[in-house]
């Protein structure tokens, strides 16, 4: 455009033009200010630097290992709860042997339920087998030990109801051995053609049973024997209660010879075991001494059992 500095009209037109440009937020002589960039956070600035750090990489490996161990422990706790629940159901089932017409049917049903419990034990053994460390059984022992003790109690009660004797540690450990089939290692050359089917070989998975868990499970067995004795008296089957009394006395005598300082749990079990022995002896005394004086069906309401401790028995 032609602009004359001496022309008044040109000056006014230029002033109007400048005011119009200021209304739009800019002026003809000024340039647009660039927008300032947002500052990065401290974590964003150091992300690239820390990703290549050997210390951060090492702690990433530690995190993955700890998460794996925590997840495995949680799975073992859940399996142990299933073992405890199914073992208690087996014990309740075995108590129905008293007064039953077909006892063999109840024992067979209990054996079938033991198959489900052993499947849970198999899962525990497989979880421990996935751990590469040699002390996996000791590392996760607290996660599943309560289930093992309940299983030993149920198995011991089943043995007593069937055979009238105590289950041994070797018999319990044998039930924790499982057969498994794995693929045979390929020893062929690379030039050989692959086979249609991969042959399978037999292998065994074994769950280690801690001897202390066996001892504590047998200690809980005395409580079930006490209930068996009381139920037998209530149903009129008093011919085997003296055998139960001798069996529990033998267990209490054997436990009395153990060193209680090595485990606080054994001391607690001993107190409960002593109460069970006392209740069984009181029941046997009532049946033996009062059995000839009163009818058999009235032994439960005998006045000699009117004290508070004896009421707990009945």
């Amino acid at each position: 455009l032609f602009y004359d500095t001496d022309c008044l009209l040109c000056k006014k037109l230029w002033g109007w033009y400048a005011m119009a440009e200021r209304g739009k937020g800019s002026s003809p002589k000024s340039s647009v200010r660039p927008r300032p960039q947002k500052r990065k956070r401290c974590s964003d600035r150091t992300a690239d630097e820390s990703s290549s750090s050997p210390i951060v990489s090492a702690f990433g490996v530690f995190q993955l290992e700890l998460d794996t161990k925590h997840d495995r422990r949680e799975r073992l706790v859940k399996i142990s709860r299933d073992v405890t629940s199914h073992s208690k159901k087996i014990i309740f089932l075995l108590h129905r042997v008293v007064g039953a017409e077909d006892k063999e049917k109840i024992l067979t049903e209990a054996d079938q339920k033991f198959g489900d419990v052993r499947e849970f034990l198999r899962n525990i053994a497989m979880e421990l087998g996935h751990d590469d460390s040699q002390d996996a059984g000791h590392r996760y022992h607290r996660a599943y030990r309560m289930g093992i003790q309940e299983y030993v109690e149920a198995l011991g009660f089943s043995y007593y109801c069937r055979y009238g004797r105590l289950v041994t540690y070797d018999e319990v450990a044998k039930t924790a051995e499982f057969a498994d089939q794995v693929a045979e290692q390929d020893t062929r050359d690379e030039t050989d053609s692959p086979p249609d089917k991969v042959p399978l070989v037999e292998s065994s998975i074994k769950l280690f049973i801690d001897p202390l868990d066996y001892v504590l499970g047998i200690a809980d067995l005395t409580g079930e024997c006490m209930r068996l004795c009381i139920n037998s008296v209530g149903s009129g089957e008093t011919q085997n209660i003296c055998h139960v009394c001798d069996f529990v006395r033998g267990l209490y005598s054997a436990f009395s010879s153990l060193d209680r300082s090595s485990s606080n749990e054994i001391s607690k079990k001993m107190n409960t075991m002593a109460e069970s022995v006392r209740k069984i002896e009181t029941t046997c005394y009532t049946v033996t001494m009062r059995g000839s004086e009163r009818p058999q069906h009235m032994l439960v309401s005998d006045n000699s059992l009117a004290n508070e401790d004896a009421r707990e028995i009945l």
Side-chain angles (χ1 to χ4, degrees):
L1 297 175
F2 176 78
Y3 181 77
D4 187 4
T5 57
D6 296 334
C7 180
L8 183 60
L9 181 60
C10 292
K11 291 181 179 180
K12 289 184 178 181
L13 291 175
W14 179 256
W16 293 341
Y17 176 75
M19 290 177 62
E21 291 295 327
R22 290 192 194 99
K24 295 179 180 179
S26 62
S27 62
K29 295 183 180 180
S30 62
S31 59
V32 180
R33 267 183 89 180
R35 186 175 182 179
Q37 297 181 357
K38 188 177 180 180
R39 295 183 61 184
K40 294 183 178 181
R41 296 181 180 179
C42 181
S43 58
D44 297 336
R45 293 198 305 269
T46 59
D48 298 334
E49 300 176 0
S50 61
S51 60
S52 59
S53 174
I55 299 179
V56 176
S57 300
F59 273 89
V61 176
F62 299 156
Q63 179 184 2
L64 180 61
E65 183 179 355
L66 290 176
D67 290 343
T68 303
K69 292 180 180 178
H70 178 73
D71 295 340
R72 181 174 290 114
R73 181 176 287 105
E74 290 296 324
R75 290 193 296 269
L76 289 174
V77 169
K78 292 180 181 179
I79 298 174
S80 177
R81 291 172 181 172
D82 293 335
V83 172
T84 302
S85 176
H86 283 71
S87 298
K88 288 183 179 295
K89 292 179 181 179
I90 293 175
I91 293 175
F92 296 153
L93 174 64
L94 291 173
H95 276 295
R96 292 166 48 191
V97 172
V98 179
E101 297 179 358
D102 191 359
K103 297 182 179 180
E104 191 63 29
K105 181 179 179 181
I106 297 177
L107 296 176
T108 303
E109 184 179 354
D111 292 338
Q112 295 176 356
K113 292 183 178 295
F114 271 118
D116 299 334
V117 178
R118 293 189 182 96
E119 189 65 27
F120 290 122
L121 298 181
R122 177 192 178 93
N123 295 337
I124 294 177
M126 294 181 65
E127 285 289 345
L128 297 178
H130 292 163
D131 196 305
D132 297 333
S133 59
Q134 297 180 356
D135 60 340
H138 299 283
R139 177 182 299 175
Y140 302 103
H141 179 239
R142 292 177 61 89
Y144 63 90
R145 62 189 302 264
M146 300 305 297
I148 298 298
Q149 294 178 17
E150 195 70 29
Y151 169 71
V152 172
E153 179 184 358
L155 188 62
F157 191 49
S158 175
Y159 264 70
Y160 181 78
C161 292
R162 184 183 292 271
Y163 306 110
R165 63 175 180 86
L166 178 67
V167 61
T168 63
Y169 174 79
D170 294 335
E171 290 173 338
V172 176
K174 190 175 181 180
T175 60
E177 297 179 358
F178 312 98
D180 192 14
Q181 290 183 346
V182 297
E184 186 179 6
Q185 295 183 355
D186 193 2
T187 58
R188 297 175 295 105
D189 298 334
E190 296 180 357
T191 58
D192 298 340
S193 59
D196 297 336
K197 295 183 179 180
V198 179
L200 300 177
V201 295
E202 293 290 338
S203 65
S204 60
I205 303 176
K206 183 178 181 180
L207 176 62
F208 175 73
I209 303 297
D210 193 347
L212 181 59
D213 293 339
Y214 168 77
V215 171
L216 296 177
I218 294 302
D220 294 332
L221 175 61
T222 57
E224 303 303 330
C225 292
M226 181 269 296
R227 296 181 183 89
L228 179 66
C229 180
I230 302 304
N231 293 336
S232 299
V233 175
S235 61
E237 298 181 2
T238 60
Q239 62 273 15
N240 295 326
I241 60 174
C242 292
H243 184 273
V244 176
C245 183
D246 295 337
F247 176 74
V248 177
R249 277 178 174 177
L251 290 179
Y252 183 75
S253 177
F255 272 85
S256 300
S257 62
L258 297 177
D259 184 12
R260 305 184 188 182
S261 61
S262 59
S263 176
N264 188 29
E265 294 178 308
I266 296 181
S267 300
K268 295 179 180 179
K269 300 288 186 182
M270 286 291 296
N271 297 331
T272 306
M273 191 182 302
E275 289 294 325
S276 299
V277 173
R278 184 182 61 83
K279 292 177 182 180
I280 294 176
E281 290 177 346
T282 303
T283 303
C284 293
Y285 168 79
T286 303
V287 172
T288 303
M289 301 302 296
R290 300 294 184 182
S292 58
E293 300 177 3
R294 305 190 66 176
Q296 189 176 11
H297 66 278
M298 298 180 63
L299 289 176
V300 179
S301 59
D302 193 277
N303 294 330
S304 62
L305 298 179
N307 56 77
E308 182 179 358
D309 294 336
R311 287 177 181 176
E312 297 178 0
I313 302 175
L314 301 177

